[in-house]
Amino acid sequence: MSDPTSRDKLIRTASNLFRQKGYSGVGLSELLKEAGLPKGSLYYHFPNGKQELAEAATRWAGAWLERLLDATFAQAESFNEGALMVCDAIATEVTSQTHVPACPVLSILQAAPLEPRLQITAQEVYGSWTKCIEKHAKRLGHARPDDAAFSLHCQLQGAWVIAYAQQSNAAFTQLARELRTKF
Amino acid sequence: MSDPTSRDKLIRTASNLFRQKGYSGVGLSELLKEAGLPKGSLYYHFPNGKQELAEAATRWAGAWLERLLDATFAQAESFNEGALMVCDAIATEVTSQTHVPACPVLSILQAAPLEPRLQITAQEVYGSWTKCIEKHAKRLGHARPDDAAFSLHCQLQGAWVIAYAQQSNAAFTQLARELRTKF
DNA sequence: GCGCCATTGGACCGATTGGTCTATTGCTTG
DNA sequence: CAAGCAATAGACCAATCGGTCCAATGGCGC
């Protein structure tokens, strides 16, 4: 079995950089310098190069957010309370770094016209998130789980875009305030 | 006074391409080929090159959306009705092309870490939109115009991201359905 | 018709891009 | 110790990047 640290470091570094500057805005040389690895390592672990790495990084970050959703909703006693807690959780994660990073899926989305695989990846990860939220909505007895899931996902995406633009978590704070009035 | 057609064509082409592939994803050669203009024209009209063109394109598209907001809300008799109509209007605009384009501001946002001016531009255009929505909310007698403006802007951004990812206006349709239940 | 100036056309530049290829390293297993 | 393979290291490549520069063009005022 291969030592996961190198592959992992590539994925982690790629995810961070892509979320800051977007897929096309990050060069391999910069990425590899940041990861402290030579080009050979990249093409050994990801024979299809940048695109394959981006796909892996997106799925990895997607799974991370899904774990965050599960862990947060697990503590909630109602869907609205869970939604509020998720909003806070993402706000905290996003502000824990010097640069407010974009949604990991969004960061590769603009490269989708050039790299068809990334389009599919983005759709799958988004779909997975919505399904995950829907699952919790159902569990917590929401009347319309699918509507609730779309609505929350949509609001979170919107707040994330605005937070990224403003480089501040104010949008998440505002969204949290709005969600708080609902229950 | 300079003939506006060349400068205009550059702005228009830039806006279209950036909204498809993002700022970093579009090369000058591709852009100029699409616009049917030589490099000399670009650097004559925009001495600071790509970044200045992107700024102009974003402000131009920003003003376009603001006109759309004004025109749509002008026909509404309540804020919620206006919000619903705006959602429909953007959905229509977005689906009128073969490729569903991203929000024009979003398309340059990922280049902000590299080009500080674009960060400022993005913030100003977003702020301008929110102010515009707030103005109509106030006019139509909404109790909390600023909250209403943020909430709608946030939802529209979220739906736009999802629509861009899915290359379909389904997200706008869904958002419209949600807004319809509110009044 | 002449001169002027806004604008176009495109050759050219160094830097950087993503990707390929091969030599070398170093651990693991027999 | 030796063989073999996983993994690293980085030189090298053609293509493209954004940007500079200057000659050619063309319409308008004199």
Side-chain angles (χ1 to χ4, degrees), chain A residues 66-141:
Chain A
E66 203 163 325
R67 282 195 305 274
L68 184 142
L69 286 174
D70 279 331
T72 309
F73 266 114
Q75 305 171 36
E77 297 183 353
S78 76
F79 179 76
N80 279 338
E81 189 195 349
L84 176 58
M85 289 168 68
V86 163
C87 185
D88 280 337
I90 296 181
T92 302
E93 285 291 340
V94 144
T95 325
S96 69
Q97 318 185 20
T98 24
H99 190 278
V100 174
C103 162
V105 176
L106 180 57
S107 70
I108 61 150
L109 210 43
Q110 293 187 324
L114 297 82
E115 313 268 19
R117 301 276 318 249
L118 295 183
Q119 174 93 27
I120 297 168
T121 304
Q123 288 188 21
E124 287 179 359
V125 174
Y126 274 167
S128 182
W129 289 351
T130 304
K131 271 272 163 50
C132 178
I133 299 175
E134 190 178 337
K135 175 186 69 186
H136 289 287
K138 199 175 296 180
R139 182 178 60 82
L140 291 165

Side-chain angles (χ1 to χ4, degrees), chain A residues 2 6 38 40-41 44-45:
Chain A
S2 68
S6 246
S41 296
Y44 174 78
H45 294 291

Side-chain angles (χ1 to χ4, degrees), chain B residues 162-182:
Chain B
I162 295 172
Y164 181 63
Q166 296 179 339
Q167 283 297 298
S168 113
N169 64 354
F172 283 108
T173 308
Q174 174 82 5
L175 177 58
R177 200 148 59 83
E178 184 184 333
L179 291 173
R180 208 171 277 119
T181 67
K182 283 195 184 169

Side-chain angles (χ1 to χ4, degrees), chain B residues 134-152:
Chain B
E134 190 178 338
K135 174 186 70 187
H136 289 287
K138 198 175 295 178
R139 182 178 60 83
L140 291 165
H142 196 286
R144 300 186 189 281
D146 52 344
D147 288 351
F150 166 80
S151 177
L152 178 59

